[in-house]
């Protein structure tokens, strides 16, 4: 049967033509948008729902049609359109493909990817190549991946066939910041170059990789992984064995990939991670001692000791040897003098000698966090100087933690509170839970880090009682309503504590529920001791954070401080963009004090800058003001609705 006259050229031919016409062969924005066929346009408003597509598409593919034309007819008759491509991907992934059927499936896939004229048909071809494709298919899949509506399916195939090509396609479609375009162009050129130009292209990749701005706003975990894959980072490092600039950039990429605050699963998806860790740590002696390099190496150590780095496929003893090497290097005088020229620890900065227990659930209150012994150059601007001091203080507080509490295989339960580099972007503060040396949350939940100690420890959520308690250990970075959360039930059973009834969302790439998690049992006495130790561990905290925890503890103990003002406590912590400022949030609802709240509440926020006094003094002053003055008069509206704010006589601060 001949094809209808109004069918357009194959999508592959259209994509190839658009690539030739585009400057440097790169698509704009998120990829090329190709016009559909007139027939497809006439039927764009398909009556087939997504739920119905999930039923009819598998039937249309089993058995696989003999040729591309037959599949086009089937989909046209059923009303399968571009909007149903997710159902197509799921259906192809579930197809039984015994060995004797694979050659025919491969032949059909190649027909569809080279000659297919509709998005659903080409998606079938790409999804089949993800299962039966070969290296010769990569150039066609790469070109189709530049089409916006086909990028997802092409990436699935390229991640199996050629991860470097897949990484370039991903960057071309997602790295839209202009600051990254030069690097992406170099990576794309190197990926598609001939052997004759390979040396020049690799030199361009090295140049752009070390030159582009690598601030946290440019590099999330996924983008960093794709850059490392596209650059073939192990090969690049092997070609430049004495290049400290490239080595530092490789370390920074690894830190970004392992960032728990973005997506813990990205590090596990980076197959070259163990080798890159080994190279960066093994050559770290090439790096000039600096605060930035110290922070990078310390971040790597935190991942290797209690973070997702523990879960990588390590040869026996390899991870431990890398940690020992970092320990030796960072203990050298030229590194320790960056934040403490005398090589001594100031007790007020959280050293064990000075730790003394503060309020319950708050940990040590060790007074003032002094500035490090070395100041930045006097000519730098105040914001830069403040950032320098924050990072130096973090190194002082955190520098020994990855080497004194490193994960071991027979350690039972271990709770580590880990604060990330404050200048590293989305630096998480998490309560890492290790069982027999392995971090529990990233092993079970790849969508976000474990909750902060203020949630899990200050509220006593990990304490075990005979009454079962449902605990949310982690939430997806995009909220539970989007990508889910990790829940467990904690209960005491005689001389044991049991973690059971795990709940978590489906894992990436899976349609069905996540595999069941077995119950965990701990010796009750050892469990109680470890939870109590973690609850009083405050060495990780900085002055403003300790102040915030003390304010929260005070309002929890004395709720009437706010109730008298028709208010109740909300989130209290430190600012994400300004960790040296305490943010006191509270709900305001008229009539609350009398027991008859009226209407929708408003959220107010009071910002309390760190004034340098000891945390206990700052917290006492804040609580005293809350008791004596209506906080609505010195706070600003931070949530609710404009209508409610205006009704109650408050300015709405979010006008643009």
């Amino acid at each position: 049967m001949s094809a209808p006259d109004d069918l357009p050229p194959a999508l592959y031919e259209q994509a190839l033509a658009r690539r030739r016409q585009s400057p440097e062969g790169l698509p704009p924005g998120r990829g090329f948008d190709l016009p559909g066929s007139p027939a497809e346009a006439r039927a764009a408003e398909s009556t087939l729902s997504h739920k119905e597509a999930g039923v009819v598409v598998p039937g249309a593919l089993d058995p696989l049609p003999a040729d591309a034309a037959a599949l086009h007819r089937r989909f046209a008759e059923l009303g399968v359109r571009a909007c149903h491509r997710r159902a197509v991907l799921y259906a192809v992934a579930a197809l039984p493909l015994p060995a004797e059927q694979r050659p025919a499936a491969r032949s059909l896939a190649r027909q569809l990817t080279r000659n297919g004229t509709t998005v659903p048909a080409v998606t079938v071809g790409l999804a089949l190549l993800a299962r039966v494709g070969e290296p010769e298919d990569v150039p066609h899949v790469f070109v189709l991946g530049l089409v916006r509506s086909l990028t997802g399916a092409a990436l699935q195939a390229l991640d199996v066939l050629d991860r470097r090509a897949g990484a370039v396609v991903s960057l071309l479609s997602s790295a839209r910041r202009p600051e990254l375009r030069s690097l992406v162009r170099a990576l794309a050129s190197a990926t598609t170059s001939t052997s004759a130009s390979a040396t020049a292209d690799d030199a361009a990749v090295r140049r752009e990789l070390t030159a582009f701005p690598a601030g946290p706003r440019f590099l999330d975990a996924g983008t960093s992984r794709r850059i490392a894959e596209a650059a073939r980072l192990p090969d690049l490092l092997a070609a430049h064995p004495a290049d400290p600039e490239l080595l530092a950039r490789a370390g920074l990429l690894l830190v970004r990939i392992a960032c728990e605050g973005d997506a813990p699963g990205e590090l596990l998806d980076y197959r070259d991670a163990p080798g890159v860790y080994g190279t960066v740590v093994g050559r770290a002696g090439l790096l000039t001692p600096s605060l930035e390099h110290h922070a990078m190496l310390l971040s790597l150590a935190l991942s290797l000791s209690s973070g997702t780095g523990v879960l990588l496929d390590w040869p026996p003893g390899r991870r431990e040897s890398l940690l020992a090497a970092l320990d030796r290097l960072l203990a050298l005088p030229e590194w320790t003098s960056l934040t403490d020229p005398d090589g001594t620890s100031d007790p007020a900065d959280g050293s064990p000698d000075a730790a003394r227990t503060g309020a319950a659930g708050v940990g040590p209150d060790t007074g003032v966090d002094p500035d490090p012994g070395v100041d930045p150059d006097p000519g730098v601007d105040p914001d830069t100087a403040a950032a320098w001091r924050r990072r130096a203080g973090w190194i002082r507080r955190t520098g020994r933690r990855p080497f004194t509490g490193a994960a071991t295989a027979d350690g039972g339960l271990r709770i580590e509170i880990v604060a990330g580099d404050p200048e590293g972007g989305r630096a998480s503060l998490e309560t890492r839970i290790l069982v027999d040396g392995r971090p529990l949350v990233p092993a079970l939940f790849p969508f976000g880090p474990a909750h902060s100690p203020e949630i899990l420890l200050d509220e006593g959520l990990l304490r075990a009682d005979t009454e079962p308690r449902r605990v949310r250990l982690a939430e997806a970075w995009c909220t539970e309503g989007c990508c889910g959360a990790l829940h467990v039930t904690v209960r005491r059973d005689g001389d044991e504590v049991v973690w059971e009834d795990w709940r978590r969302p489906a894992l990436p790439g899976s349609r069905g529920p996540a595999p069941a998690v077995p119950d965990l049992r701990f010796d009750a006495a050892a469990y109680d001791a470890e939870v109590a130790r973690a609850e009083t561990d405050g060495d990780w905290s900085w002055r403003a954070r300790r102040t915030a925890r003390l304010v929260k503890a005070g309002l929890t103990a004395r709720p009437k401080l706010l109730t008298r003002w028709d208010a109740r406590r909300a989130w209290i912590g430190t600012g994400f963009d300004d960790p040296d400022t305490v943010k006191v949030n509270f709900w305001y609802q008229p009539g609350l004090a009398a027991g008859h709240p009226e209407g929708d509440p408003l959220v107010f926020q009071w910002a309390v800058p760190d004034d340098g006094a000891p945390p206990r003094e700052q917290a006492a002053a804040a609580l005293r003001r809350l008791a004596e003055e209506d906080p609505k008069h010195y706070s600003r509206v931070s949530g609710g609705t404009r209508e409610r704010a205006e009704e109650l006589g408050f300015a709405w601060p979010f006008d643009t």
Side-chain angles (χ1 to χ4, degrees):
M1 178 178 178
S2 60
D5 293 336
D6 60 356
L7 281 180
L11 296 191
Y12 172 75
E13 294 297 334
Q14 293 186 58
L16 203 59
R18 291 292 297 275
R19 188 185 183 199
R20 289 167 179 157
Q21 297 164 4
S22 179
E24 300 180 292
L26 300 182
R30 298 178 63 182
F32 296 126
D33 284 316
L34 302 184
S37 70
E40 194 171 16
R42 286 194 299 269
E45 297 182 2
S46 172
T47 59
L48 189 68
S49 70
H50 290 286
K51 184 175 181 180
E52 291 168 335
V55 175
V56 303
V57 170
L61 296 176
D62 191 9
L64 283 172
D67 55 43
L71 181 64
H72 279 91
R73 288 195 299 271
R74 287 188 194 178
F75 277 178
E77 292 166 359
L78 293 169
V80 179
R81 305 290 179 250
C83 62
H84 302 126
R85 56 189 181 274
R86 184 178 295 274
V88 171
L89 289 171
Y90 285 145
V92 175
L95 279 176
L97 282 180
E100 64 273 12
Q101 294 181 13
R102 287 176 173 259
R106 187 178 300 112
S107 175
L108 175 62
R110 288 171 176 166
Q111 292 179 50
L112 292 168
T113 52
R114 290 157 174 75
N115 305 312
T117 58
T118 66
V119 168
V122 176
T123 299
V124 170
L126 292 169
L128 284 171
L129 289 179
R131 300 184 62 184
V132 299
E134 296 174 336
E136 69 180 75
D137 300 306
V138 169
H140 294 85
V141 178
F142 182 92
V143 171
L144 290 170
L146 304 181
V147 177
R148 184 172 179 175
S149 56
L150 297 173
T151 299
L155 281 177
Q156 287 191 14
L158 289 173
D159 278 344
V160 175
L161 300 173
D162 187 332
R163 288 182 76 87
R164 185 188 195 188
V168 170
V169 168
S170 177
L171 292 169
L172 287 170
S173 64
S174 63
R176 294 184 292 279
R177 285 187 174 274
E179 295 88 349
L180 294 177
R181 295 302 283 181
S182 292
L183 172 61
V184 173
R185 279 196 297 269
L187 292 170
S189 177
T191 301
T192 58
S193 66
T194 63
S195 58
S197 61
T199 300
D201 287 327
D202 286 346
V205 167
R206 186 263 170 215
R207 182 177 62 253
E208 296 295 341
L209 187 63
T210 56
F212 83 99
R217 69 182 185 276
F218 300 113
L219 288 180
D220 60 18
T223 300
S224 299
R225 173 172 69 88
R226 290 303 195 177
I227 289 174
E229 289 174 338
R232 288 184 178 169
L233 200 52
D235 294 343
L236 201 60
L237 289 167
H240 301 273
D243 187 338
E245 190 177 12
L246 177 62
L247 186 70
R249 188 49 58 98
L252 179 60
L253 284 174
L254 201 53
V255 169
R256 296 277 190 264
I257 296 170
C259 179
E260 307 286 347
D262 282 341
E266 291 291 344
L267 183 65
L268 300 180
D269 286 339
Y270 183 41
R271 298 174 182 175
D272 294 324
V276 177
Y277 269 113
T279 300
V280 172
V281 175
R283 299 181 190 170
L286 295 173
L287 299 174
T288 302
S290 70
L291 211 62
E292 183 176 5
H293 291 157
H294 197 151
M296 179 267 288
L297 295 174
L298 180 54
S299 297
L300 294 181
L302 288 168
S303 177
L304 289 171
S305 66
S306 61
T308 309
V310 177
L311 302 176
L312 296 172
D313 188 14
W314 295 103
R318 178 59 171 160
R319 180 179 62 84
E320 293 80 359
S321 69
L322 294 179
L323 271 171
L326 285 171
D327 188 7
R328 289 191 298 271
L329 179 73
L330 296 179
L332 294 175
E334 55 265 39
W335 290 90
T336 60
S337 64
L338 293 169
T339 59
D340 190 356
D342 298 327
T344 59
S345 175
D346 191 311
D349 201 34
S351 70
D353 292 339
R356 51 189 175 86
T357 303
V362 177
D365 176 19
T366 55
V368 179
D369 283 337
D371 287 336
V374 178
D375 282 331
D377 293 336
V380 301
D381 65 88
D383 289 342
T384 301
W388 193 98
R389 292 189 177 95
R390 278 195 296 269
R391 176 174 262 174
W394 171 73
I395 290 173
R396 288 168 64 99
R397 293 188 302 272
T398 310
R400 299 305 309 154
R401 293 179 75 88
F403 310 116
T404 57
T408 56
D410 57 353
L413 176 70
R414 175 78 177 174
I415 301 172
E416 287 289 334
I417 303 172
V418 175
D421 178 4
E423 304 308 312
R426 295 195 66 161
S428 61
L429 173 61
E430 56 176 320
T431 309
R432 293 182 178 175
I433 299 166
L434 295 97
V435 177
D436 294 332
R438 294 176 65 80
L440 194 65
V441 169
L444 300 177
F445 184 73
F447 304 108
H451 276 315
S452 71
E454 286 91 343
I455 295 175
L456 291 179
L457 297 174
D458 289 3
E459 303 288 343
L461 295 183
L462 296 184
R463 298 175 191 172
D465 203 344
T466 53
E467 185 69 25
R469 177 188 290 117
R470 168 67 59 183
V471 180
R472 188 175 71 177
L473 298 176
E475 179 184 16
W477 66 269
C478 52
T479 74
E480 181 173 3
C482 181
C483 289
L486 177 65
H487 293 262
V488 68
T489 296
V490 178
R491 67 178 177 88
R492 186 177 297 272
D493 182 16
D495 59 357
E496 290 185 317
V497 172
V498 184
W499 286 21
E500 61 187 4
D501 190 20
W502 295 86
R503 298 181 188 177
R504 57 177 176 155
L507 300 178
S510 172
R511 292 191 69 186
V517 180
D519 295 351
L520 296 176
R521 289 183 171 270
F522 307 97
D523 175 80
Y527 180 96
D528 292 342
E530 178 60 14
V531 171
R533 182 201 63 79
E535 287 181 346
T536 57
D537 175 13
D539 292 351
W540 56 269
S541 189
W542 59 102
R543 186 168 53 220
R545 195 80 180 201
R546 290 203 292 274
T547 301
R549 298 177 84 192
L550 288 164
V551 170
K552 178 183 174 184
L555 289 176
T556 301
R558 301 160 61 194
K560 290 184 179 179
L561 286 184
L562 285 176
T563 304
R564 65 174 298 192
W565 309 116
D566 288 332
R568 54 188 171 88
R569 175 176 63 85
W571 176 81
I572 299 174
T574 51
F576 295 106
D577 297 326
D578 182 8
D580 293 328
T581 298
V582 176
K583 301 296 180 70
V584 179
N585 293 268
F586 59 90
W587 298 91
Y588 165 60
Q589 202 169 12
L592 186 67
H596 304 289
E598 302 172 359
D600 295 329
L602 287 178
V603 183
F604 283 77
Q605 183 177 97
W606 176 30
V608 187
D610 178 16
D611 64 8
R616 194 169 297 280
E617 291 182 13
Q618 293 193 61
L623 292 169
R624 188 163 50 250
R625 188 175 187 189
L626 289 169
E628 297 172 353
E629 302 177 44
D630 186 343
K632 297 188 292 297
H633 297 327
Y634 49 87
S635 305
R636 65 191 293 268
V637 174
S638 62
T641 65
R642 176 198 296 272
E643 293 74 19
R644 183 60 168 161
E646 293 176 347
E647 177 187 347
L648 295 174
F650 296 101
W652 184 250
F654 303 113
D655 292 326
T656 55

